[in-house]
Every structure is written in C-alpha cells, then in structure tokens.
C-alpha cells in the first residue's frame, strides 16, 4: 500500500473511500518516542487494518500558553518514525482544519466531572475537555475501527472510554502499557525538557512507585505517607499522590483487588506523571449460566487465549455424583456424607491433547461424568448443603492467587463474588437443545429426540434456579450475553474485549 501524508480534512474522506479496509487510529501530538512506537507497532501486529497516525498539537488541551509554545515539534522525524514502524498514513492537519473558524458543527465537549476533576484535573482546568473535543473531532473525521491509546495517561484513557460510551461511537479502544526508559521513568514527549538533575528526581519518584508496588506484592499494604516523606526529603514538589480505584478514581478500599497509585511531580518547569497498579491476586473471570449455554467451550477458549487457569466447577459436581453412584453412597445421610467428603480429592490435570482431565480420588472420570445418568442426578447432588460447602471451599482454594476463569452456576454470586469480570452466558432453550443434540462429545445426547432434550433442559433449569442453596441467578454486576445466533469466536472475542476493558494491560507485566 502506498504510504500517504494527508493534510486536509477533505482529503481524509477520499482516502477512506479508497482504502476499502478498516482503520487503526493512533492519535499523537508528535515528538514521537518509544511509547508511540509501541502503539503503532501493536496496531500493526493486531490485525491487517490500515494504520493511521495523526500528529496535531491540540491547543485546546493546554491550560498554559508557554507550555503550548514550548511543546517539542519534530515533524520530519515523526514522519520517519511513523512510517518505519507500521503507519500506512499520517494525518497532519492545521489548526484551521480541526477547528475551522465559524464552524458551528464543531462540538466542544465537557469531560465527566467525576473522572476529570481529580488527579491531573486538579491543576489543569479544561485540559480533559480539550482532549475530548479533539479526539471526538478526529474520530468523526477518520471513523476508525480501533483507537490505540497508552495506559501512561490512565486518566485520559478512562475519560476517552467514557466518551466513546456516552457519544455511542462505533470504535474499540485498545490500550497499550506504559513504556519506560532505560532508567525506569515513563517515556513522555516532555522528558526532553528535563535537566540532568530534574531527570534524577523523576527517576527517584518512579523508582519509589515501583518499589511500593514490589512491597505491596509481598505485604499487601501501601504507605503513601512514607513515599511523600521520602520525596519531600529530596525537595521534590508533589502535585498529587493518591491511592484510588482504577476505574472510578475514587479512594481505594480494602475490597479492591486492583488499585491505582498515581502521582504528579513538578521538576522545574516540567510536570511529570507516573503511576503503578497494585494487585492482591491475579484477575478472575466468573462465567455462569444454564446448561447448554456454551459455557464450557467458551471458557476453555478464553483460558487458552488469556493464559488463565480453567476451572470447570460443573465437572467437580459431576465427578462427585459419579463417585456417589459408583460407591453407592447414600447422599441423604448428612452425617455420613460429611465424613466421606473429608476424604475426597478432586484435581484437574492437563492431558497429552492439551485438554484437562478431571480425577476424583485418583480415578480419571473426564468422559464418564458426561453420561446422561450423571446429568440426571448432578442437579440433586449439587443442591446438598454439605456438598456445596465442600466444593465451594475447594474452588476458592484453587482460586486463591487468581489468574483463572471459572465456569459454573454460582461463581459470580458465591464462589468468587469479587471476580473482576462476571459474565452470565445464556441462550434460548431451543438453541441449547440443538447444541446438545449436535454435541460430538456425547453420543447419548445425539440419540435423544430434540423435544425430549428441551424438556430435560427445562427441568434442569427449574432445579438449578429453584434450589435453596446458591441457585442459578445472574449476579447484580454480571454482564448477560445471549449467545443465540453468535459464533463461539464472536462470544469469546466479546468477553476478551470486556476483560481488556477492566484489566489494565500493565498488570500483566511482572
Ligand atoms: O495523549 C495525547 O498525546 C493527546 O492527549 C491526544 C490523545 C493525541 C489528543 O490530543
């Protein structure tokens, strides 16, 4: 594809019509560094869309005239960097192109107060309104499929995600972790203004944040006053230093598994920001839903794609049901059941096909637990108080350090009520019966008439939803996905997008 430089807004429309491909958009204000390069190269690696980089120093987001005038301008180098790292087109509009005088169609936006007033909003009045206005204008001109933004400006990222939602813009935001220089300081166009001594101070600030993160990993505690004291001893002027919820930007609470420590310091004329995410355990995804909703297939694929552990809680209930039949255990005798449960071990092991086998007391029962006989009693067994208590504890032990995707019926409500992402996956009875009928893993289901399968599913739904303990219900904060008419891959991609939206990419970096 011929690489192009576009300077006029009118040319954008023509270019878009000619390329006949979707667009990845990387907005910048120029003076490109490795942080921008990472955005461009990630976009190039992600898909075969056309990559467009914009370079526009947006006057609306500067609250200080001097800052605007001294903003580094390195256009020739920026063009070279963009093209050599994967850009197919560069958009370099003028002020008049973006904000034509007397154009009443330009929408001047206000960033939401809750997200724009804390942190950088404390001292940079109107800054985020300016960012929203220019990004909205650029998105309307370019109409990209994906918008690539750095997590370094985490507050900006949250505000722009909010903008996309409130303005119902048809674009997906992809975030890229903060890129740090050799000495640990986050890459920023403003770093060029730093003197040797100022750079030393910002390095101290960043290293204190990274150290606090390390300490948190061991002690699960953060002491902001300690950091403030150390920075003050170096005469570093702190604009803010806060420990917050990463999405609401409200004060962090002990409930938050992932939290954000964000700060801004002033070194001479330059103001620099940095942050770290603190995480008590790795993230958990809870996927609940009725029988035949596609949970297992979807959950397995998500585990593989996100490199998470796959926890099939249904298989644990089935394995227990299998043992009860095999050893003729009278599950109605409570006392006896408690003693039996104490000696049961259920483990998952990967097999040679990279699939997971389930073992109960060392018997591999992966296939046998899928029989209709087990299907017909598992709901009963799983409604027994002792059984649920025992298995929920086992499941929580497996999930103690997180990093898993669990499927079942009470994951989001009971087992992992603090899961970062909760999905309620469902489908119509008709669709679920059809899927059961064509289930290659179950010859038995294939032989049952469709209308009988529908009746069986209805019965199972009723039992699961009406049992006394942990009935199948959607958690208040779960996102419902009705899978009728969607391919498995489309459902998996949707859940991965939701996950990426909740979990900062930076938390994946050790
Ligand atoms: O992050 C930036 O460089 C700017 O705020 C952006 C998103 C290009 C808007 O001017």
């Amino acid at each position: 594809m011929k690489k192009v430089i576009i300077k006029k807004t009118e040319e954008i429309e023509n270019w878009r019509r000619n390329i006949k491909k979707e667009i990845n958009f990387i907005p910048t204000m120029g003076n490109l560094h490795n942080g921008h390069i990472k955005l461009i190269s990630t976009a190039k690696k992600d898909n075969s869309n056309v990559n467009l980089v914009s370079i526009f120093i947006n006057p609306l987001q500067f609250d200080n005239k001097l800052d605007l005038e001294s903003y580094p301008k390195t256009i020739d180098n920026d063009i070279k960097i963009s093209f050599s790292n994967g850009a197919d087109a560069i958009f370099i509009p003028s002020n008049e192109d973006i904000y034509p005088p007397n154009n009443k169609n330009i929408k001047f936006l206000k960033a939401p107060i809750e997200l724009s007033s804390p942190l950088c909003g404390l001292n940079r009045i109107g800054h985020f309104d300016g960012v929203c206005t220019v990004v909205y204008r650029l998105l309307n001109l370019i109409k990209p499929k994906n918008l690539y933004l750095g997590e370094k400006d985490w507050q900006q990222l949250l505000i722009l995600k909010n903008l996309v939602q409130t303005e119902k813009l048809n674009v997906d935001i992809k975030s890229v972790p903060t890129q740090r220089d050799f000495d640990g300081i986050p890459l920023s166009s403003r770093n060029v203004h730093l003197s040797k001594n100022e750079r030393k101070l910002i390095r101290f600030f960043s290293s204190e944040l990274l150290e606090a993160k390390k300490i948190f990993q061991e002690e699960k505690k953060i002491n902001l006053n300690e950091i403030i004291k150390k920075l003050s001893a170096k005469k570093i002027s702190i604009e803010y230093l806060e420990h917050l919820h990463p999405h609401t930007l409200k004060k962090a609470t002990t409930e938050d598994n992932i939290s954000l420590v964000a700060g801004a310091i002033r070194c001479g004329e330059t103001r620099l920001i940095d942050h770290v995410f603190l995480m008590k355990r790795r993230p958990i995804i809870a996927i609940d839903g009725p029988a035949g909703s596609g949970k297992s297939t979807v959950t397995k694929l998500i585990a593989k794609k996100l490199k998470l552990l796959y926890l099939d809680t249904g298989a644990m209930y089935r394995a227990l049901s299998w043992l009860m039949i095999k050893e003729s255990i009278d599950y109605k005798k409570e006392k006896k059941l408690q003693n039996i449960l104490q000696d049961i071990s259920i483990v998952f092991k990967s097999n040679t096909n990279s699939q997971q086998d389930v073992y109960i007391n060392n018997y591999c029962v992966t296939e046998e637990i899928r029989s209709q006989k087990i299907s017909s009693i598992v709901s009963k067994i799983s409604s027994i108080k002792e059984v649920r208590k025992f298995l929920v504890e086992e499941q929580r032990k497996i999930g103690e350090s997180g990093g898993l995707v669990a499927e079942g019926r009470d994951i989001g409500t009971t087992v992992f009520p603090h899961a970062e992402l909760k999905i309620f996956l469902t489908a119509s009875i008709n669709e679920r019966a059809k899927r059961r009928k064509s289930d290659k893993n179950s010859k038995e289901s294939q032989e049952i008439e469709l209308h009988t399968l529908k009746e069986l599913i209805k019965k199972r739904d009723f039992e699961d939803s009406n049992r006394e303990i942990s009935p199948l219900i959607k958690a208040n904060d779960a996102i419902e996905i009705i899978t009728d008419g969607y391919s498995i891959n489309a459902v998996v991609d949707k859940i991965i997008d939701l996950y990426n939206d909740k979990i900062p990419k930076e938390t994946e970096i050790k």
Side-chain angles (χ1 to χ4, degrees):
M1 173 175 288
K2 191 169 160 268
K3 297 193 185 285
V4 289
I5 295 178
I6 304 162
K7 293 206 167 155
K8 293 263 145 236
T9 46
E10 307 83 69
E11 293 168 35
I12 281 278
E13 181 91 36
N14 266 337
W15 171 78
R16 225 178 340 100
R17 232 179 283 125
N18 284 335
I19 54 171
K20 298 189 177 71
K21 271 192 171 189
E22 308 247 53
I23 301 167
N24 293 330
F25 174 40
I26 305 105
T28 81
M29 296 208 296
N31 192 27
L32 306 188
H33 48 66
N34 280 342
H36 298 105
I37 291 178
K38 187 75 183 170
L39 291 175
I40 305 170
S41 57
T42 305
K44 186 173 166 66
K45 227 172 41 205
D46 268 3
N47 49 50
S48 54
N49 294 350
V50 167
N51 302 310
L52 175 102
V53 172
S54 71
I55 301 171
F56 176 65
I57 302 176
N58 173 33
L60 289 194
Q61 67 189 80
F62 286 80
D63 46 337
N64 176 329
K65 226 175 161 206
L66 271 178
D67 192 18
L68 172 62
E69 277 161 15
S70 65
Y71 198 85
K73 295 164 193 75
T74 52
I75 198 75
D76 292 338
N77 203 33
D78 294 342
I79 294 173
K80 255 194 239 149
I81 291 181
S82 300
F83 281 146
S84 59
N85 286 285
D88 300 295
I90 307 177
F91 181 38
I92 314 175
S94 67
N95 242 333
E96 288 67 37
D97 273 297
I98 294 297
Y99 304 119
N102 307 324
N103 187 335
K104 295 194 181 66
N105 294 329
I106 303 293
K107 195 163 161 179
F108 291 93
L109 290 155
K110 285 256 171 253
I113 297 285
E114 328 76 77
L115 294 177
S116 63
S117 55
L119 306 182
C120 290
L122 290 170
N123 285 311
R124 303 187 72 188
I125 310 298
H127 165 72
F128 290 114
D129 300 343
V131 172
C132 286
T133 300
V134 77
V135 172
Y136 180 77
R137 171 92 173 114
L138 289 165
L139 289 175
N140 273 309
L141 286 168
I142 296 161
K143 299 190 173 47
K145 168 89 177 63
N146 299 313
L147 169 65
Y148 286 81
L149 295 167
E151 289 184 353
K152 175 183 166 280
D153 297 302
W154 181 254
Q155 188 175 13
Q156 167 175 287
L157 179 65
L158 289 184
I159 290 170
L160 292 178
K161 278 184 180 173
N162 178 281
L163 168 82
V164 164
Q165 238 176 24
T166 50
E167 295 295 326
K168 297 189 176 55
L169 301 175
N170 193 13
V171 60
D172 292 330
I173 295 188
K174 310 275 180 193
S175 73
V176 172
T178 301
Q179 302 299 302
R180 292 181 182 273
D181 217 334
F182 66 96
D183 54 0
I185 81 166
L187 290 168
S188 161
S189 299
R190 289 187 165 89
N191 289 356
V192 293
H193 292 316
L194 292 172
S195 68
K196 227 172 168 182
N197 189 45
E198 286 164 353
R199 181 143 191 142
K200 219 163 96 190
L201 295 177
I202 168 90
R203 191 160 62 220
F204 183 76
F205 171 53
S206 291
S207 69
E208 278 305 311
L209 290 186
L210 294 169
E211 180 61 20
K213 177 176 168 169
K214 230 197 240 154
I215 295 172
F216 187 86
Q217 268 154 7
E218 286 173 8
E219 298 176 7
K220 310 287 175 243
K221 272 193 291 214
I222 168 104
N223 188 342
L224 284 192
N225 286 335
E226 195 66 27
I227 305 175
I228 293 173
K229 247 200 238 157
K230 284 194 199 165
L231 294 178
S232 307
K234 294 255 176 206
K235 303 217 171 354
I236 294 175
S237 144
I238 307 167
E239 220 167 72
Y240 63 78
L241 184 67
E242 304 264 8
H243 183 206
L244 305 166
H245 184 284
H247 292 284
T248 60
L249 300 187
K250 297 213 162 37
K251 288 250 174 294
T253 69
T254 48
E255 297 273 283
D256 299 330
N257 175 43
I258 303 179
S259 56
L260 168 77
V261 176
I265 61 166
R266 208 165 255 290
C267 289
E269 285 307 303
T270 313
R271 189 182 158 279
L272 288 154
I273 57 170
D274 198 357
H275 68 257
V276 283
F277 290 101
L278 308 179
M279 196 160 57
K280 291 187 193 155
R281 52 151 178 77
R282 292 185 61 213
I284 291 180
I285 307 179
I287 302 189
D288 288 305
S293 56
K295 283 191 313 268
S296 300
T297 321
V298 164
T299 309
K300 271 183 217 157
L301 284 168
I302 287 171
K304 201 166 164 199
K305 287 201 173 182
L306 294 177
K307 297 194 177 66
L308 298 173
L309 204 83
Y310 162 53
L311 178 61
D312 178 0
T313 61
M316 295 172 93
Y317 287 100
R318 281 174 175 268
L320 205 57
S321 308
W322 177 89
L323 195 76
M324 300 231 181
I325 295 175
K326 176 171 179 293
E327 304 202 340
S328 310
I329 298 166
D330 185 356
Y331 52 81
K332 290 186 193 95
K333 296 213 170 117
E334 270 181 37
K335 272 265 153 56
K336 217 170 146 211
L337 189 63
Q338 262 177 2
N339 290 337
I340 294 167
L341 289 172
Q342 274 177 11
D343 294 326
I344 286 177
S345 102
I346 302 177
V347 289
F348 292 98
K349 287 185 200 168
S350 295
N351 62 25
T352 44
N353 300 329
S354 306
Q355 303 284 340
Q356 212 164 254
D357 279 330
V358 55
Y359 289 77
I360 185 158
N361 291 356
N362 293 326
Y363 294 108
C364 178
V365 292
T366 319
E367 272 170 37
E368 285 169 70
I369 60 169
R370 299 290 155 197
S371 72
Q372 198 53 50
K373 193 166 177 189
I374 302 289
S375 296
S376 65
I377 71 153
V378 64
S379 191
K380 260 203 192 75
I381 304 279
S382 50
S383 66
I384 302 169
K385 201 161 87 194
E386 286 71 24
V387 167
R388 285 217 89 83
K389 189 163 172 280
F390 167 69
L391 285 184
V392 165
E393 270 168 25
E394 291 297 299
Q395 289 153 13
R396 285 189 183 150
K397 268 188 233 157
I398 299 174
E400 223 157 43
S401 50
L404 63 81
V405 48
E407 60 146 313
R409 287 174 173 73
D410 61 346
I411 311 294
T413 49
T414 309
V415 186
F416 300 123
H418 299 301
E420 278 64 39
L421 176 63
K422 296 182 189 176
I423 301 290
F424 193 80
L425 210 60
T426 185
S428 64
I429 294 199
N430 207 15
E431 176 80 19
R432 284 151 60 200
K434 278 201 268 176
R435 285 183 196 163
R436 272 277 141 97
K437 183 113 186 99
S438 57
D439 183 356
K440 288 190 202 80
N441 294 323
S442 172
K443 271 220 177 78
E444 241 177 321
S445 297
Q446 288 172 24
E447 281 157 16
I448 303 175
E449 292 291 333
L450 195 64
H451 67 89
T452 316
L453 278 173
K454 277 195 215 171
E455 288 313 309
L456 288 171
I457 288 174
K458 262 191 220 162
K459 184 167 172 282
R460 175 85 200 261
D461 279 359
F462 183 82
E463 285 169 357
D464 285 344
S465 312
N466 290 285
R467 67 174 172 235
E468 218 175 288
I469 315 153
S470 299
L472 168 69
I473 37 168
K474 181 175 155 257
N476 284 339
D477 48 352
I479 298 164
E480 181 165 314
I481 302 181
I482 301 169
T483 61
D484 286 47
Y486 285 98
S487 71
I488 288 165
N489 282 339
V491 176
V492 169
D493 287 349
K494 164 95 187 141
I495 296 176
I496 290 180
D497 280 349
L498 291 167
Y499 176 86
N500 285 336
D501 201 40
K502 295 241 163 169
I503 313 291
K505 279 265 182 289
E506 269 163 54
T507 59
E508 290 166 18
I509 300 169
K510 294 258 153 48

